[in-house]
Amino acid sequence: VQLQASGGGLVQPGGFQRLPCTASGGTFSSYVMGWFRQSPGKEREYVGVITWSGGVPYVEDSVKGRFTISRDKAKNTGYLQMFNLKPEDTGVYYCAAGASTNPWVGNYNNWGQGTLVTVSS
């Protein structure tokens, strides 16, 4: 199964962006789909996760109240919804398949190509 995040682009501060992560080449069957981001000059940062079967989402405190995570099993697609975007949200966003809700990067064994989100006026 290959993962591909998309939907990135330029958005103004305070704006909204939704990033789909589509699994192709098979049915997504991992325990979780996680989301990470990497801002310029920084290490990859955990954003949140959703359990694929039960659809239970979790987002980090740093984005709680602004970001939400969902999934559509029928479409084999997960989503990261980002509201009230700030310039510091700029970065490359990745989705990944993992075996547990552990935020450790090593827990994720299948990474999609990232999509760049730029928050700027």
Side-chain angles (χ1 to χ4, degrees):
V1 173
Q2 291 81 43
L3 301 179
Q4 177 67 60
S6 61
L10 177 65
V11 60
Q12 290 192 341
F16 167 81
Q17 198 86 335
R18 187 178 79 155
L19 306 181
C21 174
T22 301
S24 61
T27 301
F28 188 91
S29 59
S30 296
Y31 183 63
V32 302
M33 177 179 284
W35 287 90
F36 293 77
R37 66 184 179 186
Q38 189 161 16
S39 302
K42 296 185 177 181
E43 293 192 353
R44 195 165 294 188
E45 175 189 14
Y46 177 70
V47 175
V49 69
I50 189 164
T51 60
W52 197 253
S53 179
V56 178
Y58 169 82
V59 294
E60 282 287 271
D61 287 344
S62 59
V63 299
K64 192 168 290 183
R66 298 191 300 119
F67 288 16
T68 63
I69 297 175
S70 63
R71 60 93 174 96
D72 186 331
K73 292 176 67 177
K75 294 183 178 180
N76 228 19
T77 300
Y79 301 94
L80 176 66
Q81 287 93 204
M82 305 182 292
F83 301 84
N84 189 23
L85 281 161
K86 304 176 180 180
E88 52 263 41
D89 295 318
T90 293
V92 178
Y93 284 73
Y94 300 90
C95 58
S100 77
T101 56
N102 190 323
W104 176 50
V105 171
N107 176 51
Y108 293 85
N109 57 6
N110 184 1
W111 291 79
Q113 286 192 329
T115 185
L116 175 63
V117 174
T118 302
V119 184
S120 175
S121 55

